[in-house]
Amino acid sequence: MKSFITLAALFGILSFTSASAIAEEPTSTLVAAPEEARSINSAAAPIISVLVGPNQQLIFDPPYINHVGQGQRIHFDFRAINHTFTESSFEKPCTKIPGAQFDTNFGNFNPDDIPNFKPFDITLESDKPRFFYCKQANRTPNSHCGKGMVFAINVDAWTFEQFQRNAAVDGLPKIKGRAPVVEEDEE
Ligand SMILES: *[C@@H]1O[C@H](CO)[C@@H](O)[C@H](O)[C@H]1NC(C)=O
């Protein structure tokens, strides 16, 4: 917390400095300068980086982010195992939503685990909650999603935990009677 405050203070100083620098530059349109400074600052909002499957683990790291808004860029660095980044819902974490805006499919496989070999970037269009999963081996005992490989945007810790619990139900094979029923992954 202390270091966050320090960092926030530093950013405050930096943006103040750059805004002043821009405002003090000789320019023929003095009135427009502060507006310009503001848009430069918002475009420079730090990109959030998320690791997809670091160290052969079935996780997104961090697993969720909160308080991010329109225009926020998020960078997904796919690692080692063959994963996807696919949009779902809170209720059915391992089921692709109809008309999903994001689904990488299996095109980002990075078997040699080279940092940023095949990354995937998104830019948020709103501050609404969004839910995602890895669809590898879905509805089998090895379902990445069923084992908790889910990611959420604009949720708190409690909501994320519920979402991950829902994933264990949705991603692993459904048990009917004695035999597991393996369902087709929806496309
Ligand atoms: C990645 O996984 C998918 C689904 O299991 C599979 O169809 C595909 O062949 C895999 N890609 C590679 C390059 O192994």
Side-chain angles (χ1 to χ4, degrees):
M1 195 59 175
K2 194 177 176 184
S3 64
F4 174 76
I5 290 164
T6 310
L7 195 63
L10 184 63
F11 269 108
I13 291 159
L14 287 176
S15 46
F16 176 77
T17 307
S18 70
S20 316
I22 290 159
E24 280 162 23
E25 255 168 33
T27 167
S28 56
T29 53
L30 285 170
V31 177
E35 192 63 50
E36 195 179 45
R38 261 200 297 281
S39 62
I40 286 166
N41 284 344
S42 78
I47 296 169
I48 295 173
S49 281
V50 177
L51 289 170
V52 183
N55 305 314
Q56 316 266 333
Q57 299 175 92
L58 302 185
I59 58 167
F60 290 88
D61 181 21
Y64 69 94
I65 56 177
N66 202 359
H67 307 299
V68 291
Q70 184 184 21
Q72 175 67 54
R73 287 171 63 193
I74 308 172
H75 175 81
F76 294 89
D77 183 8
F78 282 70
R79 294 300 185 85
I81 298 170
N82 187 351
H83 296 296
T84 78
F85 174 75
T86 306
E87 186 159 15
S88 66
S89 63
F90 174 79
E91 293 78 14
K92 296 207 159 219
C94 311
T95 303
K96 184 174 162 179
I97 52 169
Q101 186 181 1
F102 299 114
D103 181 7
T104 61
N105 236 308
F106 294 99
N108 297 64
F109 187 25
N110 176 10
D112 293 329
D113 201 14
I114 299 162
N116 290 309
F117 181 59
K118 283 195 180 170
F120 183 72
D121 285 53
I122 69 172
T123 301
L124 296 183
E125 290 168 359
S126 78
D127 59 2
K128 288 185 188 139
R130 303 285 287 271
F131 300 92
F132 303 91
Y133 68 113
C134 172
K135 67 183 177 184
Q136 182 62 269
N138 219 14
R139 313 263 144 72
T140 77
N142 295 321
S143 164
H144 289 194
C145 182
K147 290 182 171 182
M149 191 168 180
V150 290
F151 179 77
I153 296 172
N154 284 325
V155 299
D156 58 20
W158 187 89
T159 305
F160 179 78
E161 281 165 26
Q162 298 299 313
F163 172 54
Q164 205 169 38
R165 264 196 278 277
N166 292 347
V169 177
D170 194 31
L172 297 172
K174 308 270 187 292
I175 310 296
K176 280 188 187 159
R178 297 176 66 185
V181 176
V182 179
E183 295 174 9
E184 284 290 302
D185 184 18
E186 70 297 326
E187 280 300 330

